[in-house]
């Protein structure tokens, strides 16, 4: 018998206040360090009124330029494959709650972003973050200033595109092919070729050897991660813990105290209960009914970073058939000088490269949630190269490098990356599987035949909307509507 995922769909929310707009305003006066998926849609309660709340924070109707509209659902149970399908249609989860921004109506368009770890290239800033951590672990050296994570990031696109001043004649000269650096490099290459010719060597073969040597000199991400020995001043241990395990239960209170400290000092949110914490970051609809022999199994985990035995950061992640999905990060603000947002992301990328991909050939992506060009706390994700953004029209992946010029041309407004492509395939509404009378799963075609009174405009509108958002691959998901289960 086929195993169905079960999701209750609530429809679109009323207009709520946007945490990203507020974040943008706060960033002008107070700089905070980003986490993998910091969002107002943190999880908690969903209702059908004019206000709703996620993560213990309520949202009410706001001015037109600061509105976020979400499609919302509740996951009773989701197979890893079903959730992967929803991710690739722009959905995310907070606890058991699922949400997808209504892209053409929300004030801050949120594009799903992913990285192919097999092509990942460390930036100079990221290498510096890794060196700072290693220097602290080895020598107890605390840097005088934190690494600037915005260094090299794309310029903000916040409604208008700034007009850049033309570069000075000196700058134009340095950026041209005649720049001193490029000229010296050309001279070095020319001298090497002359030496090879004088020695009677094959120039093409020598050039190939030089390229191979240059590749060998480039340090990999894994080579930067610390290999502790007893001479070091500090010891960093990273442990992956299932949210359903006894290991997590033993550490739950320590994690919660860290979370409260993080929320209070970083987000100025002091209204946090243990129940909110578990609802947001521990409870998960993911259930793996086909557990294979490969570990770790698909599911939800906390990646704990212990410094000298004390948890200083926790990354909340899902391991799925095609990706490691980073949901949230909370950390000890006392260690902000270690730039833990970037460091933990780099560690998770390395984990996919070295631990997951070798055993699961399709699991080669790292999902970082949503990319928001107008929000500094979310824009840093674009510095993990090369990343792709999800097109909300065709649901195909497009290189971020192609998307940024289009965003600039469209003044940061919602942009369809692949207009020339047809819209994504929709699922036949009649073939949707639905939960009927709280216990039986039938096709919608069968249910409306058995009970025509249920075929109302409200029900068909919800079914049509759901079929457009999830596509034919989601036939493994049984949709639960309150109207069909009264």
């Amino acid at each position: 018998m086929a195993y169905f995922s079960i999701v209750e769909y609530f429809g679109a929310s009323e207009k709520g206040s946007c945490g990203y707009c507020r974040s943008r305003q706060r960033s002008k006066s107070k700089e905070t360090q980003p986490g993998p998926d910091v969002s107002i849609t943190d999880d908690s309660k969903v209702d059908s009124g004019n206000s709703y709340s996620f993560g213990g924070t309520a949202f009410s109707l706001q001015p037109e330029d600061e509105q976020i509209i979400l499609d919302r659902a509740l996951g009773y149970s989701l197979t890893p494959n079903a959730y992967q399908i929803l991710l690739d249609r722009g959905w995310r989860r907070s606890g058991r709650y699922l949400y997808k921004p209504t892209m053409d109506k929300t004030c801050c368009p949120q594009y799903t972003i992913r990285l192919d770890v097999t092509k990942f290239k460390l930036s100079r800033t990221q290498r510096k973050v890794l060196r700072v951590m290693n220097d602290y672990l080895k020598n107890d050296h605390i840097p005088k200033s934190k690494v600037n994570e915005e260094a090299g990031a794309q310029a903000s696109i916040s409604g208008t595109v700034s007009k850049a001043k033309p570069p000075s004649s000196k700058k134009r000269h340095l950026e041209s092919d005649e720049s001193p650096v490029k000229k010296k490099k050309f001279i070095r290459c020319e001298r090497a070729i002359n030496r090879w010719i004088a020695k009677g060597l094959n120039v093409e073969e020598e050039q190939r050897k030089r390229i191979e040597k240059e590749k060998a000199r480039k340090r990999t991400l894994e080579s930067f991660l610390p290999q502790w020995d007893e001479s070091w001043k500090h010891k960093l241990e990273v442990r992956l813990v299932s949210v359903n395990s006894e290991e997590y239960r033993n550490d739950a209170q320590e994690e919660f105290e860290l979370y409260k400290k993080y929320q209070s000092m970083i987000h100025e949110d002091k209204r946090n209960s243990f129940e909110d914490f578990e609802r947001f970051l521990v409870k998960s609809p993911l259930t793996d009914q086909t557990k294979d022999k490969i570990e770790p199994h698909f599911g939800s985990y906390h990646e704990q970073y212990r410094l000298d035995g004390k948890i200083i950061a926790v990354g909340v992640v899902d391991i799925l058939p095609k990706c490691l999905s980073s949901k949230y990060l909370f950390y000890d603000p006392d260690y902000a000088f270690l730039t833990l947002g970037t460091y933990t992301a780099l560690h998770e990328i390395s984990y996919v490269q070295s631990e997951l991909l070798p055993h699961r050939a399709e699991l080669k992506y790292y999902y970082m949630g949503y990319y928001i060009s107008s929000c500094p706390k979310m824009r840093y994700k674009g510095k993990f190269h090369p990343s792709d953004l999800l097109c909300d029209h065709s649901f195909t992946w497009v290189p971020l490098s192609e998307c940024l010029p289009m965003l600039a041309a469209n003044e940061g407004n919602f942009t369809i990356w692949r207009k020339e492509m047809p819209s994504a395939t929709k699922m036949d509404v009649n073939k949707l599987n639905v939960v009927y009378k709280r216990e039986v799963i039938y096709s919608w075609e069968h249910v409306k035949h058995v009970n025509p009174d249920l075929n109302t405009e409200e029900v068909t509108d919800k079914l049509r909307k759901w079929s457009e958002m999830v596509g034919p691959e989601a036939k493994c998901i049984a949709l639960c509507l309150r109207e069909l289960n009264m």
Side-chain angles (χ1 to χ4, degrees):
M1 179 179 177
Y3 179 82
F4 283 96
S5 298
I6 299 177
V7 170
E8 181 175 359
Y9 177 53
F10 298 104
S13 68
E14 295 288 343
K15 299 172 182 177
S17 64
C18 177
Y20 301 118
C21 288
R22 293 199 303 273
S23 169
R24 201 163 56 238
Q25 294 162 1
R26 285 198 303 267
S27 67
K28 295 178 181 179
S29 58
K30 179 179 179 181
E31 183 179 338
T32 59
Q33 180 175 325
D37 197 6
V38 181
S39 165
I40 67 156
T41 52
D42 286 346
D43 179 32
S44 185
K45 308 175 186 71
V46 179
D47 63 52
S48 56
N50 291 334
S51 65
Y52 52 99
S53 64
F54 291 95
T57 303
F59 300 92
S60 56
L61 300 187
Q62 294 292 317
E64 287 293 328
D65 61 344
E66 293 186 5
Q67 295 175 345
I68 185 166
I69 302 176
L70 307 167
D71 274 287
R72 307 157 300 155
L74 174 65
Y76 290 106
S77 65
L78 276 177
T79 64
N81 185 60
Y83 185 48
Q84 180 74 63
I85 291 169
L86 293 179
L87 275 184
D88 291 336
R89 285 276 180 151
W91 290 80
R92 295 288 289 173
R93 77 170 185 90
S94 283
R96 292 184 177 275
Y97 288 94
L98 309 169
Y99 58 94
K100 180 186 183 301
T102 307
M103 298 286 275
D104 59 342
K105 296 179 181 178
T106 194
C107 56
C108 295
Q110 301 163 49
Y111 305 93
T112 301
I113 185 170
R114 77 174 186 184
L115 167 75
D116 183 343
V117 302
T118 65
K119 300 176 181 177
F120 175 61
K121 297 178 181 178
L122 278 169
S123 69
R124 181 177 299 178
T125 301
Q126 289 159 359
R127 288 196 296 270
K128 187 173 182 180
V129 169
L130 294 167
R131 290 192 184 102
V132 166
M133 173 64 84
N134 291 344
D135 195 20
Y136 176 72
L137 295 176
K138 292 178 182 179
N139 306 310
D140 192 33
H141 179 260
I142 298 176
K144 293 181 181 179
S145 60
K146 197 180 76 171
V147 176
N148 180 12
E149 293 180 288
E150 283 296 306
Q154 298 294 335
S156 173
I157 302 169
S158 54
T160 59
V161 180
S162 59
K163 295 181 180 179
K165 295 180 180 179
S168 64
S169 58
K170 181 179 180 180
K171 188 172 182 180
R172 282 199 302 269
H173 172 72
L174 292 176
E175 290 177 348
S176 72
D177 290 337
E178 296 301 318
S179 66
V181 174
K182 289 187 177 181
K183 191 172 182 180
K184 287 180 180 179
K185 186 174 181 180
F186 176 78
I187 292 172
R188 288 196 300 269
C189 290
E190 192 175 53
R191 286 174 178 171
I193 291 172
N194 290 334
R195 285 197 305 270
W196 296 332
I197 293 173
K199 293 179 181 179
L201 300 175
N202 184 304
V203 173
E204 290 186 1
E205 179 63 18
E206 294 303 314
Q207 286 178 327
R208 185 191 64 79
K209 289 179 181 179
R210 171 169 281 195
I211 291 172
E212 291 299 321
K213 285 183 180 180
E214 289 178 355
K215 287 182 179 179
R217 281 199 298 266
K218 289 183 179 179
R219 292 187 62 182
T220 63
L221 170 56
E222 189 174 8
S223 72
F224 275 99
L225 296 176
Q227 299 295 322
W228 181 82
D229 67 49
E230 294 182 357
S231 66
W232 290 19
K233 303 293 185 181
H234 300 285
K235 184 176 183 179
L236 180 67
E237 299 173 282
V238 184
R239 185 173 66 157
L240 190 71
V241 176
S242 169
V243 295
N244 300 315
S245 69
E246 189 64 28
E247 290 176 295
Y248 162 71
R249 285 295 154 199
N250 292 336
D251 296 330
Q253 190 61 38
E254 183 180 1
E255 284 198 13
F256 174 55
E257 294 301 324
L258 176 62
Y259 173 74
K260 283 198 301 182
K261 183 177 181 180
Y262 170 80
Q263 290 294 107
S264 175
M265 295 181 66
I266 300 299
H267 297 297
E268 300 178 356
D269 178 12
K270 298 181 180 180
R271 300 171 299 170
N272 295 290
S273 67
F274 185 75
E275 290 73 20
D276 286 338
F277 166 71
E278 290 228 314
R279 183 166 51 238
F280 171 28
L281 296 175
V282 181
K283 290 183 179 179
S284 171
L286 295 185
T287 174
D288 190 2
Q289 299 292 321
T290 59
K291 285 186 177 179
D292 52 31
K293 296 180 180 179
I294 302 175
E295 292 187 351
H297 299 302
F298 297 134
S300 300
Y301 294 86
H302 282 190
E303 193 159 41
Q304 300 173 339
Y305 295 78
R306 286 187 176 273
L307 182 66
D308 302 328
K310 171 189 173 184
I311 299 177
I312 64 164
V314 177
V316 183
V317 301
D318 294 324
I319 298 178
L320 302 172
K322 295 182 180 179
C323 74
L324 184 146
S325 174
S326 182
K327 180 188 179 307
Y328 200 76
L329 170 78
F330 55 98
Y331 60 89
D332 189 335
D334 293 343
Y335 294 91
F337 63 87
L338 293 175
T339 323
L340 289 169
T342 294
Y343 183 84
T344 55
L346 292 170
H347 193 282
E348 289 167 359
I349 292 169
S350 175
Y351 187 77
V352 179
Q353 291 174 332
S354 61
E355 300 296 331
L356 299 180
L357 181 58
H359 305 291
R360 301 183 187 273
E362 291 189 346
L363 207 167
K364 65 174 184 176
Y365 294 105
Y366 178 59
Y367 284 46
M368 296 186 72
Y370 293 127
Y371 175 84
I372 304 174
S373 63
S374 58
C375 179
K377 289 204 303 180
M378 307 296 275
R379 196 169 60 240
Y380 82 104
K381 300 175 184 182
K383 293 184 294 179
F384 292 82
H385 300 295
S387 292
D388 303 315
L389 297 186
L390 184 66
C391 177
D392 201 60
H393 169 71
S394 61
F395 292 109
T396 54
W397 295 96
V398 182
L400 177 63
S401 57
E402 294 182 26
C403 299
L404 290 175
M406 287 188 273
L407 270 175
N410 200 24
E411 299 185 338
N413 296 312
F414 168 56
T415 304
I416 294 174
W417 314 126
R418 291 289 185 256
K419 289 182 180 180
E420 73 281 2
M421 295 183 67
S423 59
T425 306
K426 303 171 185 177
M427 189 169 183
D428 185 342
V429 173
N430 288 322
K431 293 181 180 179
L432 278 173
N433 291 302
V434 297
V435 178
Y436 181 52
K437 294 186 176 180
R438 297 183 180 274
E439 56 184 26
V440 184
I441 295 176
Y442 291 122
S443 69
W444 169 237
E445 187 174 36
H446 174 80
V447 171
K448 69 180 182 180
H449 176 74
V450 172
N451 190 343
D453 291 340
L454 295 175
N455 191 19
T456 64
E457 183 177 349
E458 183 179 4
V459 169
T460 54
D461 185 59
K462 279 187 177 181
L463 292 173
R464 177 192 56 77
K465 184 76 178 294
W466 177 259
S467 69
E468 291 175 353
M469 289 189 295
V470 300
E473 289 186 326
K475 60 184 178 183
C476 59
I477 301 175
L479 191 62
C480 179
L481 297 182
R482 293 178 183 178
E483 296 88 342
L484 307 183
N485 293 279
M486 293 180 175

